[in-house]
Amino acid sequence: DETFGGGEGIDRSLAPSYALISRVIDYPSSPRGRRPDAVPFASTGVSYFDIVRPPHSIGLHGPIGEAYPVADAILLQQYEDPSPAGSFGHPLTWEEWRLIGKVKETYISMRYGTKAMSAKLGKEFLPLLARRLERGEPRLTFVGGHDTTLAQVGTQLDVEPYELPGAVEYRTPIGSKIVLGRWRCDDGIDRLSVDFVYQTTAQIRACQLADRAHPPSVVRLRLKGLTPDADGRYPLADVLPRLLSPDPGP
């Protein structure tokens, strides 16, 4: 609630996105939209959390719960077909695509970007990464996951707010990665860099393979409460506790 202003604040922020999605899918002409008791798309009640016990997972319901799967489907469709057909025949501006992306990013941040959920879901692999970074071996560790996994890592590292240029999914776009790099510096201090690596929406739409001629974009992330060096890196010893003992929050 402190981040999003509660359910009503979420829905006010996403109202333009809800209206745009309704227009893109022509919701009023759909079987559901033509029912006698039909109401506008994503307008029933207020967005809210609940906790399912077991397995102690957070659910999101109300308008954002209705809008999220539709927004996600539209975003995937536009990657596969960059023509207006990819948005159900509606030419959309970059700003409108970002409005649709905002629903997906808000949902992911709310459901998986909280301390409690990121600590619970990341309790196995986050300490594993920390231990390997601490030892400096193996030289490469790859952990596969989803946009939700990226949200968990960013939350436990206490990453400052960021937006990725050139991406309609501006926080956790499809196919992206968080790269944690350990640096052995001349002053004897081991440091950690945190980079978000991703292909732009245009690159994905063009099915462009990442190579030296067409490199992915890289954004160096900043961590709350820590002071970086001139290259945006942090003392490893200051960052490891955030991964070794995931903070469940209040």
Side-chain angles (χ1 to χ4, degrees):
D1 287 354
E2 291 179 2
T3 303
F4 298 100
E8 293 181 353
I10 294 163
D11 294 330
R12 281 195 301 271
S13 173
L14 294 177
S17 301
Y18 297 159
L20 174 61
I21 292 172
S22 178
R23 177 170 66 84
V24 167
I25 64 174
D26 197 13
Y27 178 79
S29 298
S30 69
R32 182 175 173 182
R34 292 198 305 267
R35 292 189 328 202
D37 60 346
V39 296
F41 177 74
S43 66
T44 303
V46 175
S47 294
Y48 67 95
F49 289 96
D50 69 1
I51 299 178
V52 181
R53 296 187 174 91
H56 305 287
S57 62
I58 292 177
L60 276 178
H61 305 281
I64 194 170
E66 180 180 357
Y68 165 70
V70 182
D72 197 41
I74 295 172
L75 291 169
L76 291 175
Q77 177 83 359
Q78 60 96 25
Y79 288 133
E80 297 178 357
D81 186 354
S83 74
S87 50
F88 300 91
H90 296 277
L92 298 179
T93 66
W94 178 259
E95 289 73 20
E96 287 173 327
W97 278 118
R98 295 268 288 199
L99 277 177
I100 296 173
K102 184 178 181 180
V103 173
K104 177 258 182 182
E105 296 295 5
T106 301
Y107 181 94
I108 295 297
S109 294
M110 288 175 61
R111 186 169 183 182
Y112 300 98
T114 63
K115 286 283 188 178
M117 282 304 293
S118 63
K120 176 182 182 297
L121 297 174
K123 66 181 180 181
E124 299 295 337
F125 78 89
L126 291 175
L128 169 67
L129 288 178
R131 289 192 295 269
R132 293 191 173 185
L133 284 167
E134 189 173 29
R135 293 198 307 264
E137 58 180 16
R139 292 182 64 84
L140 175 66
T141 297
F142 178 84
V143 177
H146 302 275
D147 46 10
T148 57
T149 314
L150 298 177
Q152 295 158 29
V153 174
T155 298
Q156 285 303 318
L157 287 173
D158 264 344
V159 169
E160 292 186 359
Y162 65 91
E163 287 194 8
L164 304 174
V168 293
E169 298 176 89
Y170 50 84
R171 283 184 185 158
T172 55
I174 190 170
S176 55
K177 302 167 183 63
I178 291 179
V179 178
L180 306 177
R182 174 174 173 161
W183 300 78
R184 292 186 171 91
C185 301
D186 292 339
D187 59 4
I189 298 176
D190 287 351
R191 290 183 170 84
L192 187 77
S193 59
V194 183
D195 293 321
F196 207 107
V197 181
Y198 67 102
Q199 287 185 291
T200 65
T201 298
Q203 287 175 316
I204 298 173
R205 284 174 168 175
C207 296
Q208 190 173 78
L209 294 177
D211 54 27
R212 291 184 182 276
H214 307 94
S217 296
V218 180
V219 172
R220 181 145 295 181
L221 303 179
R222 298 179 64 90
L223 307 183
K224 297 177 183 176
L226 298 179
T227 302
D229 67 5
D231 295 310
R233 302 170 302 185
Y234 298 88
L236 183 65
D238 292 342
V239 182
L240 286 181
R242 300 184 179 190
L243 298 175
L244 280 168
S245 301
D247 178 10

